[in-house]
């Protein structure tokens, strides 16, 4: 299904999931960003994006995203993920009737939340839970899709296939186009007239997306993203040796970021330092993008022409 924005893709994925399952409950995650329409904003976590916009949509439940840096507290990555998986099942049973849950929606790599890839074992468990209870797994690829992580979908790094996925941003290279991709039997369960609009699939944006996707193939955007990611990671790690404020270096492909914190404490975000660093870099001609609930993560924002220069 074609759409015009990422939020519209999310909105429609939820409607499709509800119609296909005839259930209502939707599970989303902390630090999530899914857009600014009413359902997408409900699923978005950060309060600053939602001020005075409520009441929000009912039948939505928020679980904790497995963020090792913030919640790991001395546990190895694997031990932490194991514990979070136990918490996930416990939260599911304690919060809602899983047989009235239509979908779990999650970003494969959290974008606005601070570039945090979903741990692989956790993603597998999400798939298992969905299969066990007939819940649909929706992966939001609006930010991570089309080459950002070195694959066409970030979920191609995982051994999991979603039932539905949402796309936009890089798909149109700046033109307003997105889509929902899903298994045929799920997409076909939708009643006529319940999804759609005037502009989805308009010929100008469709032509732009086709040309853009062709160009991304031509320049092998995935190989470039992997190279940019490696370069950023090496340089960020070197920076970390000198700057104790950098809590960790994390990400997937070209989605690489580091959180800035005080006293190495993940619960003490240093938003002032983040702000100052952005201004100092802007003065020197480098555009950075900040992310995270407390605006404490730096991500390098690289355009395609910069990819060329960086590689
Ligand atoms: C993961 C994710 N989903 C949805 C959206 C919403 O997309 P749009 O701004 O095109 O509505 C965004 C935008 O940043 C996003 O990062």
């Amino acid at each position: 299904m074609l759409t015009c924005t990422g939020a519209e893709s999310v909105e429609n994925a939820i409607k499709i999931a509800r119609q296909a399952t005839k259930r209502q409950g939707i599970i989303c995650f902390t630090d999530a960003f899914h857009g600014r329409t009413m359902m997408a904003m409900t699923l978005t976590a950060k309060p600053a994006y939602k001020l005075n916009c409520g009441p929000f949509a009912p039948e939505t439940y928020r679980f904790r995203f497995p963020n090792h840096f913030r919640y790991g507290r001395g546990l190895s990555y694997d031990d932490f993920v194991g514990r979070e998986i136990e918490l996930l099942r416990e939260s599911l049973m304690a919060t809602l009737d899983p047989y009235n849950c239509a979908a779990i929606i999650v970003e494969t790599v959290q974008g606005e939340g601070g570039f945090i890839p979903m741990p692989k074992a956790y993603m597998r468990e999400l798939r298992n839970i969905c299969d066990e209870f007939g819940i649909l797994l929706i992966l939001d690829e609006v930010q991570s899709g089309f080459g950002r992580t070195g694959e066409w979908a970030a979920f191609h790094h995982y051994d999991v296939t979603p039932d539905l996925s949402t796309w936009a941003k890089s798909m149109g290279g700046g033109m307003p186009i997105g889509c929902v991709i899903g298994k045929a039997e799920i997409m076909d369960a939708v009643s006529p007239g319940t999804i759609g609009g005037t502009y989805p699939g308009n010929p100008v944006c469709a032509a732009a997306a086709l040309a853009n996707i062709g160009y991304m193939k031509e320049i092998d955007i995935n190989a470039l993203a992997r190279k940019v990611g490696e370069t950023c990671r090496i340089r960020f790690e070197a920076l970390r040796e000198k700057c104790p404020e950098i809590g960790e270096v994390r990400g997937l492909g070209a989605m690489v970021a580091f959180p800035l914190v005080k006293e190495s404490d993940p619960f003490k975000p240093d938003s002032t330092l983040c702000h100052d660093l952005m201004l100092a870099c802007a003065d020197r001609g480098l555009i950075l993008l900040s992310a995270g609930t407390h605006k404490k993560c730096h991500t390098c924002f690289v355009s395609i022409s910069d990819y060329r220069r960086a590689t």
Side-chain angles (χ1 to χ4, degrees), residues 109-111 114-117 143-154 157 170 216 220-234 236 249-258 287-289 291 298-304 306-308 310-311:
V109 180
Q110 282 199 329
F115 284 21
I116 311 163
Q143 187 160 158
S144 56
F146 285 101
R148 292 292 299 283
T149 68
E151 295 284 352
W152 290 110
H157 293 277
S170 310
M216 288 194 285
D220 197 350
I221 194 89
N222 289 318
L224 292 174
R226 284 194 289 272
K227 206 160 180 184
V228 166
E230 272 163 38
T231 307
C232 285
R233 198 174 274 277
I234 290 166
F236 288 178
V249 176
R250 65 185 178 219
L252 193 59
M255 289 181 80
V256 193
F258 52 81
I287 300 172
L288 295 185
L289 186 72
H298 265 299
T299 64
C300 226
F301 186 72
V302 194
S303 72
I304 287 179
D306 290 333
Y307 272 158
R308 282 252 156 100
T311 51

Side-chain angles (χ1 to χ4, degrees), residues 9-11 13-14 26-29 32 34 43 61 103-107 126 135-140 166:
S9 301
V10 167
E11 202 80 27
I14 300 296
I26 305 292
I27 294 171
C28 57
F29 284 85
H34 295 291
L43 301 172
Y61 303 88
I104 298 178
I105 181 164
V106 70
E107 293 154 89
L126 281 180
I135 301 169
L136 302 184
L137 180 62
I138 306 175
L139 294 182
D140 185 342
T166 53

Side-chain angles (χ1 to χ4, degrees), residues 4-8 10 33-37 40 107 109-112 140-144 166 168-169:
C4 300
T5 66
E8 197 186 333
V10 167
F33 187 86
H34 295 291
R36 294 177 175 89
T37 52
E107 293 154 89
V109 180
Q110 282 199 329
E112 178 56 28
D140 185 342
E141 291 275 351
V142 168
Q143 187 160 158
S144 56
T166 53
K169 288 197 192 295

Side-chain angles (χ1 to χ4, degrees), residues 151-225:
E151 295 284 352
W152 290 110
F155 67 72
H156 289 156
H157 293 277
Y158 296 75
D159 56 359
V160 158
T161 307
D163 300 295
L164 292 164
S165 53
T166 53
W167 308 76
K169 288 197 192 295
S170 310
M171 180 176 167
M175 294 296 275
I177 185 166
C179 67
V180 183
I181 298 179
K183 295 178 179 168
E185 70 271 20
I186 296 168
M187 302 298 281
D188 290 347
V190 168
S191 302
T194 57
I195 60 171
T198 304
Y199 297 117
N202 71 78
V204 173
C205 291
L210 284 176
N212 179 49
I213 293 167
Y215 180 64
M216 288 194 285
K217 282 185 183 165
E218 195 184 306
I219 63 171
D220 197 350
I221 194 89
N222 289 318
L224 292 174

Side-chain angles (χ1 to χ4, degrees), residues 65-68 77-82 84-85 88 106-109 116-129 137 139 149 151 153-161 226 233 251-253:
F65 189 92
N67 177 336
H68 178 246
Y77 189 78
D78 288 346
D79 288 349
F80 166 74
V81 173
E84 293 298 293
I85 285 173
L88 170 68
V106 70
E107 293 154 89
T108 317
V109 180
I116 311 163
M118 167 66 72
K120 288 192 171 163
Y122 195 96
M123 182 71 99
R124 219 171 297 124
E125 185 65 1
L126 281 180
R127 185 66 270 177
N128 292 341
I129 285 178
L137 180 62
L139 294 182
T149 68
E151 295 284 352
F155 67 72
H156 289 156
H157 293 277
Y158 296 75
D159 56 359
V160 158
T161 307
R226 284 194 289 272
R233 198 174 274 277
L252 193 59

Side-chain angles (χ1 to χ4, degrees), residues 9 17 141 207 237 279 309:
S9 301
E141 291 275 351
E237 286 291 2
L279 289 185
R309 247 176 280 138

